């Protein structure tokens, strides 16, 4: 079989010392004079090959440098790999065929759809018919994520599914969060907690430079495309907003929704890893907004087809998730971040729909107009896409105090906290954090979580410290008698006393094996 650029020659049965010369003659007789033609040796029917057969292939390779071998069975592939042929030329294994007809769809992303093929296994079928390079990419990034501590499933097999390819993963009796939300609505809060816990783990993971693509570059392409469909000044503002988002080497999933989170036993796994990237969390939140709200804003039935639950459930889940992720119940704070996410979300949706012919479809055109109106309104009032995360986790070490103070200071400045109140808070934070660093863990050190919540009405801040060290309530310590003379006074005890005086409220509890101390300050 031949076209102008490629010729395919079938290899059959056995090629050994007894018939290698004859096989070579048959192959040579079929070869074109044009040495630039790509020669494909199809080994689907090849059962055996010895060194004599390998020499035949090598001689053809020398004459036709672009030669490749396809559909090689496992036994023959082992021979080719053992002898270095897989390094000399492209060699593709034969893939077993899997049918997804009648199988449950458990996930759908930008690049493919995931089906459960039996109780133990799922297969991700790629949209791209020539998906082998995509599969290799996803395997590599999933392995990277696992090494970096992100719980995920690694593909153990590649299969042929119709005209495309698929990756097979072991997910024994796993259920997606979409399935849980649709069948067990009472578990909404549990799903939110686990969903946000995984999201923060992903966003808190630093990725070695160059290992993953930068999501900002992708988002900038979206913005430049949509710019031409907006009023000139707002189109330029959209591009500038994306350009000024700071670069970060922290991980984002890129397609983080409830069909891609699986509960296997008591372990939560994230799947569909081909969209992994690095970048600011706002790009993740934009895609999440689309998954629950944006994509179904015009037609609420979309969410049922996509996630399996209704638009009301999706809206509640999105709001609860954003509140838990930001660590605040303050509506103004949540809305401000949501508006930033909506800008990214609408930009992506508009580009996607237009590129798929949406302007030629009356209903799709109405949908695009809705998104455009929302985007134009947002661009008139939003001046930055960045925001501050409200929680960090670090080792309880005294030398990391500046990091904690800078983290809290950024939140105080953003909230417009007066200088005097900032100083009082800084002193209190030092007293509490250093106490945790020095005394919480009797042997060595351990983790401490610091959370900051700011409120606008009334203007205030709440700072929470949580550690897993020895249970200890510093509020039980008696206040020092400040009326005594220097000679009579005991050394120590002033730190917690000063904190009590400068804060409007301070509380302690021991819950789930953790010391939890909370400071509150009005300003």
């Amino acid at each position: 079989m031949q076209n102008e650029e490629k010729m395919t020659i079938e290899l059959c049965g056995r090629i050994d010392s007894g018939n290698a010369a004859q096989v070579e003659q048959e192959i040579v007789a079929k070869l074109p004079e044009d040495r630039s033609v790509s020669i494909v040796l199809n080994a689907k029917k090849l059962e055996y090959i010895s060194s004599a057969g390998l020499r035949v292939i090598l001689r053809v390779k020398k004459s036709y440098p672009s030669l490749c071998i396809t559909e090689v069975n496992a036994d023959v592939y082992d021979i080719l790999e053992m002898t270095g042929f897989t390094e000399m030329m492209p060699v593709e294994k034969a893939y077993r065929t899997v049918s997804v007809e009648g199988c449950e769809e458990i996930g759908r992303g930008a690049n493919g759809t995931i089906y459960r093929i039996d109780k133990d296994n799922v297969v991700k079928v790629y949209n791209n018919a020539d998906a082998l390079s995509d599969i290799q990419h996803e395997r590599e990034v999933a392995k990277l994520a696992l090494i970096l501590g992100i719980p995920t499933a690694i593909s153990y097999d590649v299969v042929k599914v119709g005209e495309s390819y698929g990756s097979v993963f072991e997910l024994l009796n796993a259920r997606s969060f979409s399935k849980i939300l649709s069948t067990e609505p009472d578990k909404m809060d549990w799903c939110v907690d686990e969903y946000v816990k995984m999201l923060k783990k992903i966003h808190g993971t630093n990725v070695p430079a160059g290992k993953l693509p930068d999501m900002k570059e992708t988002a900038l392409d979206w913005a430049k495309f949509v710019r031409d469909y907006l009023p000139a000044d707002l189109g330029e503002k959209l591009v500038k907003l994306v350009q000024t988002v700071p670069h970060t080497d922290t991980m984002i999933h890129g397609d983080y929704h409830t069909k891609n989170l699986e509960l296997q036993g008591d372990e939560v796994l994230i799947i569909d890893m081909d969209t992994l990237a690095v970048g600011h969390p706002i790009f993740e939140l934009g895609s999440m907004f689309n998954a629950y709200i944006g994509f179904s804003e015009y037609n609420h039935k979309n969410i049922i087809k996509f996630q399996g639950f209704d638009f009301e459930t999706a809206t509640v889940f999105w709001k609860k998730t954003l509140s838990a992720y930001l660590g605040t119940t303050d509506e103004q704070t949540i809305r401000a971040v949501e508006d930033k996410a909506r800008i990214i979300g609408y930009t992506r949706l508009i580009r996607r729909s237009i590129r798929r012919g949406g302007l030629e479809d009356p209903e799709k055109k109405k949908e695009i107009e809705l998104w455009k109106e929302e985007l134009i309104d947002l661009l008139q009032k939003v001046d930055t896409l960045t925001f501050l995360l409200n929680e960090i986790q670090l080792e309880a070490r005294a030398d990391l105090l500046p990091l904690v103070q800078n983290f809290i200071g950024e939140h105080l400045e953003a909230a417009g906290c007066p200088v005097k109140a900032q100083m009082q808070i800084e002193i209190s934070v030092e007293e509490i954090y250093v106490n945790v660093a020095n005394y919480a863990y009797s042997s060595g050190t351990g983790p401490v979580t610091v959370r900051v919540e700011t409120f606008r009405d009334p203007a205030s801040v709440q700072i929470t410290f949580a550690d897993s060290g020895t249970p200890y309530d510093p509020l039980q310590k008696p206040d020092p008698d400040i009326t005594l003379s220097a000679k009579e006074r005991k050394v120590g005890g002033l730190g917690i006393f000063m904190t009590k005086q400068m804060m409007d409220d301070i509380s302690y509890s021991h819950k789930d094996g953790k010391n939890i101390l909370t400071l509150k300050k009005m300003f």
Side-chain angles (χ1 to χ4, degrees):
M1 184 172 61
Q2 180 180 2
N3 58 34
E4 293 182 0
E5 299 179 349
K6 182 171 71 173
M7 168 181 268
T8 300
I9 299 174
E10 289 192 357
L11 304 179
C12 302
R14 298 169 59 93
I15 306 178
D16 54 29
S17 57
N19 68 350
Q22 179 184 344
V23 170
E24 184 169 6
Q25 287 179 2
E26 292 172 355
I27 292 175
V28 170
K30 297 176 182 178
L31 293 173
E33 294 183 6
D34 185 355
R35 299 298 178 92
S36 67
V37 172
S38 295
I39 304 301
V40 178
L41 299 181
N42 186 294
K44 185 176 183 179
K45 298 179 181 178
L46 182 64
E47 301 168 359
Y48 175 95
I49 191 167
S50 69
S51 61
L54 294 177
R55 289 194 293 272
V56 172
I57 294 175
L58 188 56
R59 283 193 285 269
V60 177
K61 169 69 174 175
K62 290 180 178 180
S63 298
Y64 295 84
S66 60
L67 177 134
C68 67
I69 311 174
T70 62
E71 297 196 74
V72 182
N73 71 42
D75 293 334
V76 173
Y77 187 90
D78 287 344
I79 297 297
L80 295 173
E81 185 176 42
M82 180 193 310
T83 53
F85 273 62
T86 56
E87 301 297 323
M88 286 191 285
M89 63 192 73
V91 179
E92 295 179 5
K93 282 185 177 181
Y95 300 102
R96 66 186 177 97
T97 300
V98 168
S99 172
V100 295
E101 185 176 354
C103 293
E104 175 193 4
E105 178 185 315
I106 65 170
R108 181 180 291 270
N111 298 324
T113 305
I114 301 174
Y115 299 91
R116 177 162 291 286
I117 52 179
D118 56 44
K119 69 181 183 65
D120 295 334
N121 301 284
V122 301
V123 60
K124 177 177 178 179
V125 182
Y126 286 76
N127 299 332
N128 176 15
D130 187 21
L132 292 175
S133 60
D134 296 336
I135 291 174
Q136 181 61 28
H137 167 73
E138 180 163 9
R139 280 180 151 182
E140 289 174 356
V141 297
K143 182 178 178 181
L144 172 66
L146 194 64
I147 291 171
L148 294 175
I150 306 300
T152 186
I154 301 292
S155 168
Y156 70 84
D157 194 13
V158 179
V159 295
K160 189 77 174 173
V161 186
E163 296 301 315
S164 187
Y165 294 91
S167 276
V168 182
F169 303 83
E170 184 180 42
L171 279 176
L172 176 63
N173 294 325
R175 292 184 299 153
S176 73
F177 275 39
S178 287
K179 176 70 74 174
I180 296 171
L181 286 169
S182 64
T183 58
E184 303 177 71
D186 58 310
K187 289 190 175 180
M188 165 76 77
D189 289 339
W190 178 88
C191 285
V192 169
D193 289 344
E194 293 297 324
Y195 184 88
V196 171
K197 187 187 300 183
M198 178 70 80
L199 185 61
K200 287 186 174 182
K201 186 175 186 64
I202 293 170
H203 290 180
T205 299
N206 284 294
V207 179
K211 291 293 186 179
L212 292 176
D214 188 344
M215 194 63 191
K216 178 178 173 178
E217 295 178 6
T218 302
L220 195 54
D221 287 340
W222 301 341
K224 289 177 179 178
F225 180 94
V226 173
R227 172 176 56 189
D228 297 336
Y229 296 88
L230 299 174
D233 59 332
L234 296 180
E236 292 301 327
K237 183 177 182 180
L238 174 62
V239 172
K240 186 175 181 181
L241 283 173
V242 177
Q243 285 176 329
T244 53
V245 174
H247 171 77
T248 172
D249 282 320
T250 49
M251 184 184 294
I252 57 177
H253 182 268
D255 196 21
Y256 194 75
H257 55 75
T258 48
K259 270 201 169 182
N260 282 336
L261 220 61
E262 296 278 334
L263 178 63
Q264 183 175 12
D266 58 358
E267 183 181 16
V268 176
L269 302 175
I270 179 71
I271 61 173
D272 209 7
M273 305 295 276
D274 58 315
T275 52
L276 280 191
V278 294
H280 192 280
I282 192 59
F283 300 124
E284 188 92 89
L285 296 184
S287 293
M288 287 166 55
F289 170 78
N290 285 349
Y292 303 113
I293 309 295
F295 183 62
S296 306
E297 199 166 11
Y298 180 77
N299 182 355
H300 290 185
K301 293 180 180 179
N302 286 343
I303 190 70
I304 298 175
K305 290 186 289 186
F306 179 51
Q307 294 288 2
F309 46 75
D310 59 30
F311 190 73
E312 181 180 357
T313 299
T315 302
V316 172
F317 184 81
W318 163 248
K319 297 290 186 183
K320 284 177 172 283
T321 290
L322 200 54
S323 175
Y325 179 76
L326 297 173
T328 181
T329 57
D330 183 65
E331 288 295 332
Q332 287 181 293
T333 301
I334 294 170
R335 183 64 187 181
V337 175
E338 183 182 42
D339 284 349
K340 300 172 194 292
R342 290 168 67 208
I343 287 177
I344 295 296
Y346 290 136
T347 299
R348 184 175 189 178
L349 287 172
I350 292 168
R351 174 186 178 274
R352 177 180 181 270
S353 187
I354 290 176
R355 284 168 58 91
R356 297 186 178 192
L359 292 176
E360 285 73 51
D361 181 313
E363 286 301 304
K364 293 294 183 183
K365 188 173 181 179
K366 290 179 184 178
E367 188 174 48
I368 292 171
E369 288 303 315
L370 169 65
W371 294 332
K372 274 182 60 177
E373 288 175 11
E374 296 285 355
L375 180 57
I376 287 171
D377 177 64
L378 289 166
L379 288 171
Q380 291 172 332
K381 60 186 182 183
V382 174
D383 293 319
T384 177
L385 294 178
T386 59
F387 62 92
L388 295 173
L389 291 175
N390 80 314
E391 181 178 291
I392 58 171
Q393 185 178 83
L394 64 161
E395 287 295 306
R397 301 198 328 251
D399 63 301
L400 295 180
L401 173 63
L403 188 153
V404 175
Q405 289 179 323
N406 289 340
F407 169 72
I408 294 173
E410 288 179 350
H411 284 270
L412 296 178
E413 290 180 16
C417 182
V419 174
K420 182 177 179 180
Q422 285 194 47
M423 183 191 71
Q424 292 174 333
I425 293 168
E426 184 176 346
I427 292 173
S428 300
V429 166
E430 178 177 349
E431 299 299 339
I432 299 302
Y433 178 78
V434 170
N435 189 63
V436 172
N438 288 339
Y439 304 112
Y441 297 96
S442 56
S443 57
T445 185
V448 59
T449 299
V450 182
R451 171 178 288 187
V452 183
E453 298 176 74
T454 59
F455 303 89
R456 301 186 186 186
D457 188 18
S460 58
V461 63
Q462 178 172 295
I463 303 170
T464 303
F465 298 83
D467 67 77
S468 303
T470 304
Y472 175 67
D473 181 2
L475 304 184
Q476 295 301 312
K477 190 170 186 175
D479 292 339
D481 186 348
I482 59 175
T483 64
L484 297 176
S485 65
K487 186 176 181 180
E488 297 172 302
R489 292 267 292 272
K490 293 182 179 179
V491 176
L494 283 176
I496 193 67
F497 173 76
M498 292 169 60
T499 301
K500 289 178 182 178
Q501 300 304 307
M502 291 186 288
M503 296 295 101
D504 292 299
D505 185 59
I506 178 170
S507 62
Y508 169 86
S509 65
H510 189 266
K511 184 179 179 182
D512 299 328
K514 292 184 178 181
N515 294 301
I516 302 172
L517 192 140
T518 302
L519 310 177
K520 295 181 181 178
K521 178 71 175 177
M522 309 288 291
F523 55 82

